[in-house]
């Protein structure tokens, strides 16, 4: 394999990362090439180590090295309030706000019939079991403020309300069509404190 094929392969792999277009992938590839071999080895080791050691929490679905995760096992956190998010990265965004002291439940996506994602592909059954088992009092739905997130919130609300649980949705301080992971801590804090019933 000649060096252009090797470089093209690296660019191709980097461009598969979310948010990385062809130009950014080329910049990253040439940056890696300019650095010494130790940098490349450290990067490769870090990627392999995270793939080997990080797993999903068996309770909430968060990414963790220890199962159950630190949030689920923290005695200071209220197990009576569950914040439902689409992805593990959304937990990190909310945690940065410092405004929430309950636990989480990760759906691993949002309802999107056009993409073939129905309720059976999300962790909804696990949420319902957990809510009943732990006698949860409030479920905060913190799905992204877009069509899929809103559809998921409405669907969950219809399933949860008959269980006599308070169901709220984070307030919109978040931009419509935006992602939780990009929201700043103050915006997320206000969105959590201004949550409303669904």
């Amino acid at each position: 394999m000649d060096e252009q094929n090797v470089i093209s392969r690296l660019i191709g792999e980097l461009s598969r990362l979310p948010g990385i277009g062809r130009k950014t992938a080329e910049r990253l590839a040439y940056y890696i090439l300019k650095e010494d071999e130790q940098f490349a080895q450290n990067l490769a080791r870090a990627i392999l180590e995270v793939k080997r050691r990080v797993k999903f929490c068996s309770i909430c679905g968060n990414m963790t090295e220890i199962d159950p995760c630190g949030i689920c096992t923290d005695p200071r956190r209220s197990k009576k309030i569950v914040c439902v998010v689409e992805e593990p990265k959304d937990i990190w965004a909310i945690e940065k706000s410092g405004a929430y002291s309950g636990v989480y439940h990760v759906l691993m996506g949002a309802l999107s019939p056009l993409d073939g994602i129905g309720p059976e592909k999300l962790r909804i059954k696990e949420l319902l079991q957990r809510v009943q088992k732990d006698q949860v009092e409030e479920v905060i739905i913190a799905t992204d403020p877009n069509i899929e997130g809103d559809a998921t919130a409405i669907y969950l609300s219809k399933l949860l309300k008959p269980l006599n649980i308070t169901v709220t949705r984070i307030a919109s301080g978040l931009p419509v069509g935006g992602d939780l992971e990009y929201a700043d801590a103050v915006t997320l804090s206000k969105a959590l404190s201004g949550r409303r019933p669904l």
Side-chain angles (χ1 to χ4, degrees), residues 181-194:
E181 73 175 302
Y182 301 118
D184 63 276
V186 174
T187 301
L188 272 170
S189 178
K190 287 186 178 180
L192 277 167
S193 63

Side-chain angles (χ1 to χ4, degrees), residues 45-157:
R45 266 197 299 275
I47 292 169
L48 290 171
E49 189 170 354
V50 81
K51 286 299 290 177
R52 276 195 291 262
R53 293 179 57 181
V54 175
K55 53 191 153 287
F56 293 108
C57 175
S58 57
I59 297 172
C60 72
N62 190 13
M63 286 190 241
T64 181
E65 288 185 52
I66 304 154
D67 186 25
C69 73
I71 293 173
C72 287
T73 56
D74 187 341
R76 297 166 297 181
R77 300 198 75 117
S78 172
K79 310 289 189 274
K80 301 294 179 192
I81 303 173
V82 176
C83 183
V84 177
V85 296
E86 291 179 23
E87 303 289 343
K89 64 186 177 191
D90 299 330
I91 291 177
W92 297 358
I94 293 171
E95 284 298 291
K96 282 190 288 188
S97 77
Y100 180 66
S101 59
V103 291
Y104 295 93
H105 186 85
V106 182
L107 294 173
M108 296 301 182
L111 292 174
S112 181
L114 292 175
D115 297 319
I117 302 171
E120 70 288 346
K121 292 205 174 168
L122 303 177
R123 296 181 66 246
I124 293 173
K125 184 178 68 177
E126 293 87 343
L127 172 64
L128 296 173
Q129 290 169 349
R130 185 175 175 198
V131 159
Q132 291 174 315
K133 182 178 133 263
D134 295 346
Q135 299 175 332
V136 170
E137 295 168 2
E138 180 182 5
V139 172
I140 303 168
I141 300 176
T143 52
D144 288 338
N146 56 27
I147 293 168
E148 293 84 4
D150 290 343
T152 304
I154 291 165
Y155 182 82
L156 290 176
S157 173

